[in-house]
Amino acid sequence: MSQPLAAWLAETFGRTPADVSPFVRALTHGSHGGETYERLEFLGDRVLGLVMAEWLWDVFPAEPEGQLSKRLNALVTGAVCADVARSLGVRPHLRLGKQALADGASDSDNVLGDVMEALIGAWYREAGLDAVRSFVRGAWGDRVHSGGKAPQHPKSALQEWAAAAGRRPPEYTLLDRSGPGHAPRFTVAVAIGSFARAEATAGNKQEAETAAARALLEQVRGGART
């Protein structure tokens, strides 16, 4: 392990891990070769969900399940995890193949979001749930408090709008998948029958659907005001 990595791990987690190999794996992309972050990402995703759900339960004691779910979904997206990774200084420590590095994988939301979850998985294995709870609450910081009302997911909002307007439910269609494996691009269309349609492109299918729903929602709400 390099000295810069050791110093960064100590600064990020409060101490140098007793076993650094899981953290090296958490920072290793498939293009680099060897063991990658994927298994740790699987674990970290579930641990993050639990810690975040518990945190929201404590912070918003009067909110019902539906509102808490909206907050949870907004706080654990790949984009938010990637933003946290950037704020912690993950990028210089990523282990990427030459082509992936040249293709900009070091600033990919997909890669950084996955690595952030993998690091959480590694820290959970190293130090346990209490340590992860402390780490996540520090790393996510004020994000959990942003906005007084729980945000509504654009797909849910669009479906509610369609039902209230007596329109057909929104239908999503994957139009295109392009780009390298470490930085794919998905283009999705959403339509409410023949009434309205919008497209969007993002780094994964779920985010593309969300962006398309947001675009169509703005379109139909704008049309309703004119």
Side-chain angles (χ1 to χ4, degrees), residues 14 30 36 45 60 63 83 91 98 111 116 123 136 149 174 182 200 212:
T36 72
D45 175 65
F60 302 102
E63 286 193 349
D83 185 58
R91 292 178 61 197
K98 290 182 178 179
V111 172
M116 190 67 250
W123 187 232
V136 168
K149 185 180 178 181
L174 177 63
H182 63 270

Side-chain angles (χ1 to χ4, degrees), residues 114-129:
D114 290 350
V115 166
M116 190 67 250
E117 290 179 339
L119 287 167
I120 289 170
W123 187 232
Y124 171 73
R125 295 279 292 171
E126 164 76 22
L129 188 61

Side-chain angles (χ1 to χ4, degrees), residues 104-214:
S106 64
D107 200 36
S108 162
D109 278 2
N110 283 350
V111 172
L112 288 169
D114 290 350
V115 166
M116 190 67 250
E117 290 179 339
L119 287 167
I120 289 170
W123 187 232
Y124 171 73
R125 295 279 292 171
E126 164 76 22
L129 188 61
D130 287 344
V132 170
R133 181 184 296 111
S134 177
F135 169 73
V136 168
R137 292 191 179 195
W140 262 253
D142 291 339
R143 291 175 179 86
V144 77
H145 299 280
S146 60
K149 185 180 178 181
Q152 184 173 28
H153 196 281
K155 291 179 68 175
S156 298
L158 181 62
Q159 186 162 341
E160 288 182 11
W161 183 92
R167 299 285 181 176
R168 292 174 57 180
E171 294 184 3
Y172 297 83
T173 305
L174 177 63
L175 300 179
D176 183 58
R177 185 195 187 284
S178 60
H182 63 270
R185 303 297 291 170
F186 293 81
T187 299
V188 168
V190 59
I192 300 177
S194 60
F195 171 70
R197 182 180 183 277
E199 295 181 14
T201 301
N204 62 52
K205 185 180 176 184
Q206 183 178 17
E207 290 179 1
E209 288 182 351
T210 298
R214 184 180 296 110

Side-chain angles (χ1 to χ4, degrees), residues 57-111:
W57 173 275
D58 291 339
V59 172
F60 302 102
E63 286 193 349
E65 179 273 339
Q67 295 294 93
L68 294 175
S69 292
K70 291 175 183 178
R71 291 188 186 275
L72 176 65
N73 291 337
L75 286 164
V76 299
T77 64
V80 172
C81 288
D83 185 58
V84 172
R86 291 187 185 94
S87 71
L88 293 174
V90 167
R91 292 178 61 197
H93 305 288
L94 291 173
R95 290 157 54 87
L96 302 165
K98 290 182 178 179
Q99 189 59 54
L101 189 60
D103 289 340
S106 64
D107 200 36
S108 162
D109 278 2
N110 283 350
V111 172

